[in-house]
Amino acid sequence: MGKIRVIIAGPRGRMGSEAVRMVEETPSFELAAVLDRKNNGRKLSEIGHFFQGEVPVFSDIEDCLQSVKADVLIDLTVPEAGMHHARTALAYNVRPVVGTTGFSSEELQELQGLVREKGIGCIIAPNFAIGAVLMMKFAKMAAKYFEDVEIIEMHHDRKLDAPSGTAVKTAQLISEERKKKSQGHPEEKETMEGARGADYEGMRIHSVRLPGLIAHQEVLFGSEGQTLKIRHDSYTRASFMTGVRTAVETVMKIDSFVYGLENIME
């Protein structure tokens, strides 16, 4: 098998630039092109001093897919662009690996249907950090024994969605083991709206946004006389690249829709 040819959407973004480096440093990958909304027709080396090579830049995904042969599209942009890119990639038989959060359940169902039609792989992952995926798995395990839980997620102040996709995914996994339950005093009242956070089947999710943070999450369980805290911290965006690399390698071997990196980790 030859090298896996990859297109990256959003190469100038914080995550996208790390993905470019990861692809360039992985011997079995080849960077075929990038999608950037501003620099159509230029070369990658012309749009950032840290980029190398003469990789073409496209602003329109259809132009890109008609001009360049590729196996996988990595999208690390925003939900609206990510959905459009994933749809179009599947139409051209290119396998999407999408790290954008904020997709609705209807959009995920649409992608699942397109994947069934095409018979090729697609991976959507709220979080590509291996440690974050393990945190979610451990939280699901703990939920069998602790029914009271709150999630505190902390991200940089440029993040657009709240709560984070990782927090929502964590709550969904916990709910598979935990019966729906309202927590706290049955007559509690918020004297300031939102003080108790978002409500997901009775468990609370709190979102913190501050400069200096990258991506952090704490899952706090409580029962009589004890608490259990499961926490993950990403200090640099390089922490996500092992998961992105794993997803690219895996998506080439599957013909199904996968939501969540935990589903491809044994």
Side-chain angles (χ1 to χ4, degrees), residues 96-151:
V97 170
V98 183
T100 308
T101 61
F103 287 160
S104 68
S105 58
E106 291 78 16
E107 287 172 326
L108 294 174
Q109 287 170 8
E110 179 188 342
L111 288 177
Q112 191 168 15
L114 292 172
V115 167
R116 277 197 299 266
E117 287 176 20
K118 286 291 183 177
I120 60 175
C122 173
I123 296 175
I124 312 291
N127 198 316
F128 279 112
I130 300 297
V133 175
L134 291 172
M135 170 195 63
M136 289 188 275
K137 281 179 169 281
F138 297 157
K140 181 179 179 179
M141 291 170 60
K144 293 180 181 178
Y145 307 100
F146 291 83
E147 59 182 15
D148 289 274
V149 56
E150 304 218 356
I151 298 168

